[in-house]
Each structure stands twice: as C-alpha cells, then as structure tokens.
Amino acid sequence: MEKVTVIIGASPNPDRYSYIATLLCIQYGIPIYPVGVRDGIIGNIPIVTCKTKFEKVHTVSLYISEEKQKEWYEYIFSLEPQRIIFNPGTYNPELEKLAYSKGIECVLNCMITMLHSGTY
C-alpha cells in the first residue's frame, strides 16, 4: 500500500525540516502533498496553500507547533489518515487524544529519521 502523505507546515525554505522531509519522500517514491501557508516548490512539487481534500491519505506529518494546530484539526480529520506523525516540537496531547478516539495511530518521532531508517 502506498503511504500517501500530507505534510502540514511545508516550507519553501531549504533549511526547514519540512522541506527536507518532502524531498526525501520524493526520493523514496512516497506520494507527497506539501501543505503550507507560503507559495513555493519543493523539488518538483508545488506547496498547496489551501486545505485541499486529498484521497487515500495514509499519513499526516506535522511541522507546525502545538499552538497553531487547532485551526488544522478539522482539516486533518477530513483527510481520514491512518496515522499522524508528531515531529519534534509538534507534540500535542489534545490532538493525540482526539486522533486516538477516531482510531488514528499517533507516532511521536522524526519523519526524516523514520525515512532514513526504513521505519516509515
């Protein structure tokens, strides 16, 4: 099964971890949708700047702080992901609890490390 992934907090800044994670997904052949607030392109994929509904999403990977996540809850759940990855600095116990109540797996880990180690 393809692990279609939505990165929330994607940035066109090559120094940001969301940028690096998107490039790694491209490299590993993982279907990726970078979603952010600024226009830009990562590799050959444009950053989506609206809350677009994507089909068959397996993973939502968070690169936004806990304080900014609440406005994304409805969108995240509308994607019906199987899991949410809370990258370092993004852990949110409220979102985790809501996700678990909807049967969504929550992972507290670094997506980049998971990709490099083969545990993605």
Side-chain angles (χ1 to χ4, degrees), residues 20-71:
I20 296 165
T22 300
L23 287 180
L24 282 173
C25 284
I26 295 167
Q27 178 182 331
Y28 286 109
I30 296 168
I32 186 80
Y33 296 104
V35 178
V37 295
R38 286 194 211 117
D39 285 323
I41 295 176
I42 302 174
N44 60 348
I45 300 178
I47 296 172
V48 178
T49 57
C50 59
K51 295 175 180 171
T52 302
K53 175 79 164 105
F54 301 106
E55 299 298 317
K56 299 180 181 175
V57 172
H58 179 275
T59 300
V60 168
S61 185
L62 298 175
Y63 283 95
I64 55 174
S65 66
E66 177 182 357
E67 298 77 36
K68 295 180 181 177
Q69 290 173 19
K70 193 173 279 272
E71 68 184 85

Side-chain angles (χ1 to χ4, degrees), residues 7-9 16-18 60-70 73 76 84-96 106-111:
I7 290 185
I8 296 178
R16 304 293 296 196
Y17 291 117
S18 62
V60 168
S61 185
L62 298 175
Y63 283 95
I64 55 174
S65 66
E66 177 182 357
E67 298 77 36
K68 295 180 181 177
Q69 290 173 19
K70 193 173 279 272
Y73 286 7
I76 291 167
I84 296 172
I85 297 175
F86 290 93
N87 288 281
T90 68
Y91 176 64
N92 177 344
E94 179 183 66
L95 179 55
E96 180 185 45
C106 293
V107 177
L108 281 60
N109 205 333
C110 172
M111 182 177 172

